[in-house]
């Protein structure tokens, strides 16, 4: 997308007081206009990149396809000056990218993304990536192939201008975010140490606002074992795992009526044949939590479920869990980003989000964190998933400014 970057010449940006985010762009005469105009020229290339990435189907758990995309991403990011490292994982490799900064002694800026999607292989057959009415639509185009392409475009913009980020930038692209990052979490926590701030490339709110807080989440597998028997001759000898599971789900569904908890039964499975009493059944439940207390209370209740039928057994396994990232009254990182956006002629704000992501881990610990810096659009996880083409240029410019301008004092 752009030639290899070369060291930037010293400029007033390096003398900027870190306590004055509103003066950030004043230290770079002409920077807002330069970034905005160059971002516009890159929009077509980034739009094509979004589409090309979305045409590589990468459902969670499909290691060959995820690894193919990881290699493609590594190639693109390397062209903008990154050093790429693959982190092996059985269900798809993660990717770690490092860009050098003008001030290598400063703590790194951590950017987090993912290259898995919720869409199964073959979705493109009847839902191809296409452009219509100013929108780019397709499986995973918003969540989050678009965000991955936008950051590549921002680094390409800086490289084209002969600039490097102000400080070192590290990016993690995990392969299992859509299933709660059961393996990616360890990698994220490792690189979280010492980070100056954390930025997430998930899509923004539909109106473009950034995400300043997130609900907690958990994926829980509920497994019931019973006893198989002939459903006609010996039904009384059997213990139906399916019947038990249904009763358990009715009980569990009541948890969603408690304050701060939402519940979705996302997958059910069990039994073998209609003439066999089911000996095993399971359900996968998705949970969202507004508060840490709601999360603790709900998971504790699920851990102590007991069977209604003599001889049946109920077990609960937490497959993945993310802590609640609460809204904070003071948010200097958001103020900084708003000031940069204003200098670029953009009006930008932030608001809490209903979904969870890897940024929950950083936000829950009180680290300077902001998400939603990816594409602007709507319909994630739905058949009308799309991104707005007219918002690509503004996001490229904003990301480039975030990389190039010093961070204020955030803690």
């Amino acid at each position: 997308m752009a030639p290899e970057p070369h060291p930037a010449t010293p400029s007033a940006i390096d003398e900027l007081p870190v306590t004055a985010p509103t003066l950030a762009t004043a230290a770079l005469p002409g920077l807002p206009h330069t970034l905005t105009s160059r971002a516009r020229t890159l929009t077509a290339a980034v739009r094509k990149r979004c589409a090309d990435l979305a045409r590589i189907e990468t459902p969670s758990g499909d290691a060959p396809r995820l690894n193919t995309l990881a290699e493609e991403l590594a190639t693109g990011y390397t062209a903008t000056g990154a050093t790429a490292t693959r982190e092996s994982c059985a269900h798809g490799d993660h990717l770690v990218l490092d860009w050098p900064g003008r001030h290598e002694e400063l703590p790194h800026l951590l950017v987090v993304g993912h290259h898995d999607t919720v869409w199964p292989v073959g979705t493109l057959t009847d839902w191809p990536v296409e452009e219509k009415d100013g929108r780019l639509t397709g499986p995973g185009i918003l969540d989050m192939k678009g965000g991955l392409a936008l950051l590549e475009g921002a680094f390409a913009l800086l490289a084209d201008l002969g600039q490097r980020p102000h400080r070192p930038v590290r990016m993690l692209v995990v392969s299992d975010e859509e299933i709660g990052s059961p393996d990616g979490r360890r990698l994220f926590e490792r690189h979280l140490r010492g980070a100056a701030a954390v930025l997430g490339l998930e899509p923004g709110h539909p109106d473009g606002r950034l995400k300043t807080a997130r609900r907690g989440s958990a994926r829980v597998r509920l497994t019931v074992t019973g006893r198989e028997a002939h459903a006609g001759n010996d039904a009384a000898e059997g213990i139906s795992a399916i019947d038990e599971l249904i009763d358990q789900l009715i009980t569990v569904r009541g948890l969603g009526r408690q304050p701060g908890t939402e519940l979705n039964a996302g997958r059910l499975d069990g039994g073998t044949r209609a003439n066999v009493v089911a000996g095993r059944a399971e359900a996968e439940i998705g949970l969202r939590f507004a508060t840490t207390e709601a999360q603790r209370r709900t998971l504790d209740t699920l851990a102590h479920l007991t069977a209604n039928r003599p001889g049946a057994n109920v077990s609960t396994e937490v497959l993945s869990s993310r802590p609640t990232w609460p809204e904070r009254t003071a948010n200097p990182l958001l103020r900084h980003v708003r000031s940069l956006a204003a200098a670029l002629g953009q009006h930008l704000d932030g608001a809490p989000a209903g979904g969870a992501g890897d940024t929950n881990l950083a936000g829950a610990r009180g680290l300077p964190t902001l998400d939603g810096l990816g594409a602007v659009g709507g319909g994630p996880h739905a058949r009308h998933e799309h991104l707005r083409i007219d918002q690509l240029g503004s996001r490229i410019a904003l990301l480039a400014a975030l990389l190039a301008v010093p961070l204020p004092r955030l803690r």
Side-chain angles (χ1 to χ4, degrees), residues 2 14-15 21 43 71-72 127 148 178 181 189 233 315 405:
D14 299 323
E15 307 301 324
T43 297
E71 189 60 34
E72 176 64 27
W127 181 24
L148 298 174
E178 293 292 5
S181 303
E189 290 183 330
N233 297 333
S315 63
V405 172

Side-chain angles (χ1 to χ4, degrees), residues 220-226 241 244-245 248 267 269 279-285 305 307 312-317 319:
V220 176
R221 179 188 292 140
L222 197 61
T223 302
V224 177
T225 53
E244 179 66 35
L245 178 61
Q248 293 291 336
R267 186 184 64 83
D269 186 39
R280 182 180 177 86
E282 67 177 36
E284 189 171 315
I285 302 166
L305 293 175
N313 181 68
V314 179
S315 63
T316 303
E317 179 185 3
L319 302 174

Side-chain angles (χ1 to χ4, degrees), residues 17 32 40 72 79 100 116 140 146 157 174 184 215 242 250 258-259 262 271 303 325 347 358 365 389 397 402 406:
R40 287 197 197 101
E72 176 64 27
D116 63 323
L157 191 162
V174 301
R215 289 185 296 178
I242 288 179
I250 291 172
Q258 296 183 4
E262 293 183 11
W325 166 18
H347 175 73
D358 288 330
R365 298 179 187 184
I389 295 171
L402 259 171

Side-chain angles (χ1 to χ4, degrees), residues 49 69-80 84 95 97 152:
R49 185 64 165 163
L69 183 54
E71 189 60 34
E72 176 64 27
L73 291 169
T75 300
Y77 290 131
T78 299
T80 69
L95 197 58
L97 294 310
E152 186 179 320

